[in-house]
Amino acid sequence: MKKKSNIACSEKTISESKQQPAHPCVLVIFGIAGDLTKRLLYPAICNLGRRGLLDENFYIVGVAVEKYTTRTFRAQMEKDVQQFVTDPADKKFGLAFLNRIFYIAGDFTDKNTYAELKIKLNKLEEQKASKNCLFYFAAPPEFIGTIATGLKNEKLLNEKDGDYFRRIIVEKPFGCDLASAKSLNQELLTYVKEKQIFRIDHFLGKETVQNLLAFRFSNGIFEPIWNRRYIDHVQITVAETLGIGLRGAYYEKAGALRDMIPNHILQLLSLITMEPPVAFTADYIQDEKSKVLHAIQVFTPEQVLHQAVRGQYGSGKIDSVEVPAYRSEKNVNPESLTETYVALKLLLDNWRWLHVPFYLRTGKRLPTRSSEIVIQFKSEPAILFGGAGKNIMPNLLRIKIQPDEGISLRFNAKIPGQSLQLGQVDMNFKYSDYFGIELRTGYETVLYDCMNGDHTLFERAEMVETAWGIIQPILDVWSALPPRDFPNYAAGTWGPKEADNLLNLDDRAWIL
Ligand code: BG6
């Protein structure tokens, strides 16, 4: 199963579905001058625009404290497009679109900022812009409530059903623990209805992540064995080679656990473990995801000590290049106790997954960039093969999220020759072989869905709280018992040795 010609890949089976442009709207980005816009949001907008998926009356208004004017901000964006938008056609769109971007310099705590925004939106409306608004909160969690209050006071959040919408998009992290996530939900729900809130997780916009449900529920051969009878355990790895870069100030407060687990990684876990939904619609999918989140065993303090591992990178080498320790990065405390690595062993208390361990790990400055889900099936009895039986390995299904997106199945085969020798081979599917490579960030899909009011890829209030509830005991124990061995892994290695022990104690090992 290698190249396009080998499988049923006719025009009928694989064809790019034709999408319509999204509903018209003005995208208001709070915190537009930050990293997120230039690295991810604007490249995603350029990609949508180039593919004809933005309405012709689409505009962007940015609000941030930095002292730009619209003119100087556009000039800065021009440089950013050159640097961060790699596809030439996307770049062309991005540069041409700059004159549809407006900038308001203002403090989020100042009510004049919102008054000025209202004037700008009214002016744009006179120039045919839509009354639909998407307010994107790309700001630290402590400002979310403040921004919502400012918008509410100017009546900018009132929508009129069937006439125009007002939606808010909240970037992760949604709160910084269970209590703050709950109070943020409560606060937002006093200003807007749940259907107006889009809690964004860009992992869910990645093609391979979306493919998880298609893969599971459109192929009859996997679902019958997708349970505790046949699956030994599951590993989810999100490994990054990058360090903290310019995000030290944010990361010092967040750490790897908050940054990656309650959102991206639990989302992957829920897609892998959920039951089939009644239909592929937002409510039904969210219902099933929510059920598996509720089934995850919440750690006791004792379990935190045995089933959760934290680490922080020291200096080391990535691709033969020396890189500094976390504590030497910009805006990081030289004695920082923030973790840059986390590994967990989770169990689910439900019929399908009882006693199947889920090992999760994520970290910065690991040897390779790789996000992958590995499903290890139970071993077959080896009695038929005599001495060769010792080489039988369990079947592995590997779902590669990024880079080199694809799926492979590892199985045992006879090595050619007179004697019976067994080895492992892979059946490989690579996205690029069938669909070409498209450089997308994941934000394209989630932004497009917000414009169209489709909640399928977003989380409900209660789901965000359940996810925080799962990691809260870890946060509590870790803050009560500060680590004494940081830094405990060198950049360019696979994390602290305790992470290996987590699996070795169960007679298992990380599959790299
Ligand atoms: C972000 C985290 O949400 O996801 C980052 O804050 C992380 O720390 C990033 O690097 C990973 O996303 P991607 O799309 O680059 O794999």
Side-chain angles (χ1 to χ4, degrees):
M1 195 163 80
K2 214 170 177 192
K3 287 279 181 274
K4 208 169 179 168
S5 55
N6 286 359
I7 64 154
C9 178
S10 67
E11 296 286 300
K12 272 188 203 140
T13 51
I14 298 178
S15 61
E16 170 121 43
S17 51
K18 292 260 179 305
Q19 281 182 299
Q20 298 294 322
H23 293 151
C25 68
V26 178
L27 174 64
V28 180
I29 306 177
F30 289 92
I32 195 168
D35 238 32
L36 185 77
T37 308
K38 62 182 173 206
R39 286 180 187 278
L40 297 166
L41 288 185
Y42 199 60
I45 295 286
C46 296
N47 185 268
L48 286 174
R50 190 261 295 172
R51 285 154 60 215
L53 298 178
L54 294 177
D55 186 90
E56 55 184 20
N57 282 321
F58 173 71
Y59 290 87
I60 296 179
V61 177
V63 184
V65 278
E66 284 79 354
K67 299 272 170 251
Y68 291 108
T69 60
T70 289
R71 191 179 55 77
T72 57
F73 186 69
R74 286 178 185 170
Q76 177 57 47
M77 286 286 282
E78 189 175 338
K79 288 188 205 147
D80 296 339
V81 172
Q82 299 292 2
Q83 187 179 353
F84 295 108
V85 182
T86 38
D87 180 277
D90 289 8
K91 189 176 278 187
K92 192 168 164 210
F93 177 90
L95 293 172
F97 189 81
L98 289 177
N99 62 7
R100 300 268 198 109
I101 301 180
F102 301 89
Y103 186 84
I104 294 173
D107 197 308
F108 299 152
T109 56
D110 180 357
K111 60 182 185 343
N112 293 326
T113 305
Y114 305 91
E116 208 183 316
L117 174 63
K118 188 172 189 170
I119 294 169
K120 184 72 219 169
L121 292 174
N122 287 340
K123 266 199 194 144
L124 282 176
E125 216 185 303
E126 285 162 18
Q127 292 162 25
K128 289 228 194 99
S130 161
K131 262 176 103 80
N132 295 333
C133 281
L134 276 184
F135 297 105
Y136 198 119
F137 295 12
E142 58 271 27
F143 286 112
I144 306 294
T146 316
I147 300 171
T149 315
L151 292 171
K152 173 78 181 172
N153 290 343
E154 288 295 339
K155 302 198 171 32
L156 287 170
L157 294 175
N158 299 350
E159 57 177 12
K160 210 164 161 200
D161 270 345
D163 193 356
Y164 62 92
F165 65 72
R166 296 290 156 105
R167 298 180 183 142
I168 63 176
I169 307 179
V170 188
E171 244 316 314
K172 61 163 276 282
F174 192 91
C176 57
D177 56 14
L178 177 58
S180 60
K182 274 188 174 166
S183 79
L184 185 53
N185 272 329
Q186 269 167 14
E187 185 172 14
L188 289 179
L189 287 167
T190 60
Y191 303 135
V192 286
K193 297 185 213 81
E194 177 66 31
K195 77 171 174 59
Q196 290 175 268
I197 307 175
F198 290 75
R199 299 173 189 82
I200 209 161
D201 185 328
H202 77 283
F203 256 52
L204 293 179
K206 292 180 191 280
E207 277 299 334
T208 25
V209 175
Q210 290 184 52
N211 188 41
L212 289 174
L213 293 189
F215 176 75
R216 284 189 57 197
F217 299 128
S218 70
N219 294 299
I221 60 172
F222 296 109
E223 207 45 32
I225 54 170
W226 209 260
N227 58 48
R228 68 192 150 88
R229 291 209 187 117
Y230 298 94
I231 291 180
D232 177 74
H233 75 276
V234 177
Q235 300 185 10
I236 302 181
T237 296
V238 178
E240 299 183 271
T241 48
L242 290 178
I244 296 312
L246 300 175
R247 299 169 72 221
Y250 154 75
Y251 203 82
E252 273 287 88
K253 287 197 211 147
L257 182 64
R258 287 187 175 90
D259 189 43
M260 299 296 287
I261 302 287
N263 32 68
H264 305 328
I265 294 190
L266 288 187
Q267 286 295 328
L268 295 180
L269 186 141
S270 61
L271 290 169
I272 283 292
T273 54
M274 66 183 255
E275 295 299 318
V278 174
F280 269 153
T281 56
D283 277 351
Y284 288 129
I285 292 180
Q286 287 171 340
D287 285 349
E288 298 307 330
K289 284 168 72 178
S290 170
K291 282 189 212 161
V292 285
L293 287 178
H294 281 288
I296 294 174
Q297 268 181 24
V298 177
F299 287 166
T300 59
E302 181 68 17
Q303 281 173 309
V304 174
L305 301 178
H306 297 112
Q307 292 178 216
V309 173
R310 57 188 152 167
Q312 186 194 76
Y313 62 84
S315 58
K317 278 188 182 176
I318 304 261
D319 288 335
S320 321
V321 176
E322 295 279 355
V323 294
Y326 175 69
R327 289 177 176 182
S328 311
E329 304 266 22
K330 201 168 171 216
N331 294 328
V332 170
N333 178 345
E335 290 175 8
S336 173
L337 298 176
T338 300
E339 80 285 351
T340 60
Y341 177 99
V342 50
L344 304 177
K345 172 184 168 182
L346 296 184
L347 290 163
L348 271 69
D349 282 337
N350 68 10
W351 187 92
R352 193 190 277 256
W353 296 112
L354 195 71
H355 303 319
V356 177
F358 287 79
Y359 301 101
L360 322 177
R361 65 175 166 170
T362 182
K364 304 279 184 200
R365 291 286 192 221
L366 299 184
T368 52
R369 174 172 182 250
S370 168
S371 299
E372 194 176 51
I373 299 167
V374 182
I375 292 156
Q376 180 168 321
F377 291 89
K378 289 191 172 162
S379 299
E380 286 308 302
I383 45 171
L384 286 180
F385 294 95
K390 70 176 184 319
N391 291 334
I392 292 187
M393 292 298 189
N395 296 129
L396 295 182
L397 182 71
R398 305 175 77 131
I399 303 173
K400 188 98 181 150
I401 311 277
Q402 62 187 20
D404 306 327
E405 291 84 348
I407 298 177
S408 74
L409 183 64
R410 176 164 296 184
F411 56 95
N412 298 290
K414 179 180 173 298
I415 299 172
Q418 305 321 311
S419 62
L420 182 58
Q421 294 292 332
L422 295 171
Q424 285 73 50
V425 293
D426 287 324
M427 259 199 294
N428 268 326
F429 151 66
K430 282 178 96 179
Y431 262 73
S432 55
D433 287 346
Y434 292 92
F435 307 108
I437 295 180
E438 270 267 17
L439 294 169
R440 294 188 195 161
T441 62
Y443 277 93
E444 296 78 0
T445 311
V446 280
L447 281 172
Y448 180 82
D449 286 356
C450 287
M451 293 173 192
N452 288 335
D454 180 348
H455 268 97
T456 310
L457 300 177
F458 299 85
E459 290 185 84
R460 297 192 295 230
E462 141 276 320
M463 293 164 78
V464 173
E465 291 171 17
T466 310
W468 277 115
I470 293 162
I471 69 155
Q472 189 61 50
I474 311 175
L475 292 171
D476 293 343
V477 172
W478 283 2
S479 73
L481 300 173
R484 278 182 282 173
D485 58 349
F486 276 10
N488 59 353
Y489 70 100
T493 65
W494 279 106
K497 63 178 184 326
E498 288 79 4
D500 292 332
N501 295 344
L502 189 68
L503 276 78
N504 296 163
L505 286 171
D506 296 342
D507 278 333
R508 298 186 177 104
W510 291 109
I511 296 156
L512 301 182

